[in-house]
Amino acid sequence: MPLAVTDRDRWLALALLLAALLLGYFVLVHPWWTVPMQEVGARVDELRERELRIRTQLQQAPQVQRELTAALAQQAQRPGFLPEATVELATAGLVQRLETIVKQASPGNRSCAIANQSPLAVGGREVYPRVVVQVRLRCGAPELASVLHQIESGSPRLFVENVNLLAQRYAFQASESGTGGLDVNFDLYGYLKPSPAVNQEPAGAR
C-alpha cells in the first residue's frame, strides 16, 4: 500500500528544491556569469565616463589654447627670468643693468655712485638658479629711492634684500657743501630659467 504524502512532506520537498536551486546558482551561475557581467558593466560605465571627460577636454581645448597664448604674450612683455643662459653671463648682465639704473638716477654719478659690486656664489642646486650680486652704493636719499624703484619695477624681474643703510657725511661732485648721503649695502638678485636637465630629472627619478 503506497504511503500517503502529507502537506508537510510537500513543503519540505519544495524547500529542498529551492535550496538546491540557490546552491546551484551561487556555485555555477553567479561566479561564472553574474560576476563577469557585473565587471563588464562597470568597465563599460568607466569607459563612458572617460569618453565624456575626453570629449569635454577636447571642447575646452580652443579656450585653453587662447588663454595660454595670452599668458605667454603677457609674460613676453614682462619676462620674469633673466634672459642670459648661464650664471656668469647673468651676473655680468645684472652689473650692467645696475650701472644703467644708477646713471639714469644720477647722470655723471654726481649724486649716486657704485662703490663696490661683487658676485655672490649661491650654494645648493635650485630649480630656478638664483644670480646674486652684492652691491655698495653711495647715494643721496632721492637718488637711492629712484634706484631701488627702477630695480624692482623693471624688466626682467629683479629683487633686493639684506639692505643695510648707514648715514655718512661726504660731498658729491655736484655739491661740495658736505651735505650728508647714504652708504648702502644690499644683495641684488634675479632668477634664471630652469635648465632642461633639471626639468627632466624628476621625471626620470620616478
Side-chain angles (χ1 to χ4, degrees), residues 125-147:
R125 189 174 184 181
E126 300 176 332
V127 177
Y128 300 99
R130 188 168 65 151
V131 181
V132 185
V133 175
Q134 289 184 322
V135 180
R136 181 183 179 188
L137 299 180
R138 288 182 175 177
C139 290
E143 291 77 16
L144 176 61
S146 175
V147 168

Side-chain angles (χ1 to χ4, degrees), residues 60-76:
Q60 295 175 347
Q63 179 181 356
V64 173
Q65 182 63 38
R66 288 193 298 269
E67 293 177 355
L68 177 60
T69 302
L72 292 176
Q74 183 177 4
Q75 182 180 7

Side-chain angles (χ1 to χ4, degrees), residues 93-175:
L94 274 181
V95 171
Q96 185 176 3
R97 290 183 185 88
L98 176 64
E99 292 174 348
T100 301
I101 290 173
V102 171
K103 289 180 181 179
Q104 291 175 350
S106 176
N109 299 123
R110 292 188 298 269
S111 302
C112 187
I114 300 174
N116 187 31
Q117 53 191 10
S118 59
L120 177 64
V122 179
R125 189 174 184 181
E126 300 176 332
V127 177
Y128 300 99
R130 188 168 65 151
V131 181
V132 185
V133 175
Q134 289 184 322
V135 180
R136 181 183 179 188
L137 299 180
R138 288 182 175 177
C139 290
E143 291 77 16
L144 176 61
S146 175
V147 168
L148 295 179
H149 174 73
Q150 291 186 57
I151 287 176
E152 295 191 331
S153 62
S155 175
R157 295 295 303 274
L158 301 179
F159 305 90
V160 172
E161 67 177 6
N162 299 329
V163 180
N164 185 14
L165 299 175
L166 182 63
Q168 296 284 343
R169 291 190 61 83
Y170 54 85
F172 290 106
Q173 296 177 10
S175 173

Side-chain angles (χ1 to χ4, degrees), residues 33-46:
W33 175 259
T34 305
V35 173
M37 291 302 296
Q38 290 176 344
E39 293 177 351
V40 170
R43 180 61 176 168
V44 170
D45 293 339
E46 181 182 352

Side-chain angles (χ1 to χ4, degrees), residues 14-32 34:
L14 181 60
L16 292 174
L17 177 61
L18 291 176
L21 291 175
L22 288 175
L23 180 61
Y25 171 79
F26 284 108
V27 172
L28 300 176
V29 178
H30 185 76
W32 298 100
T34 305

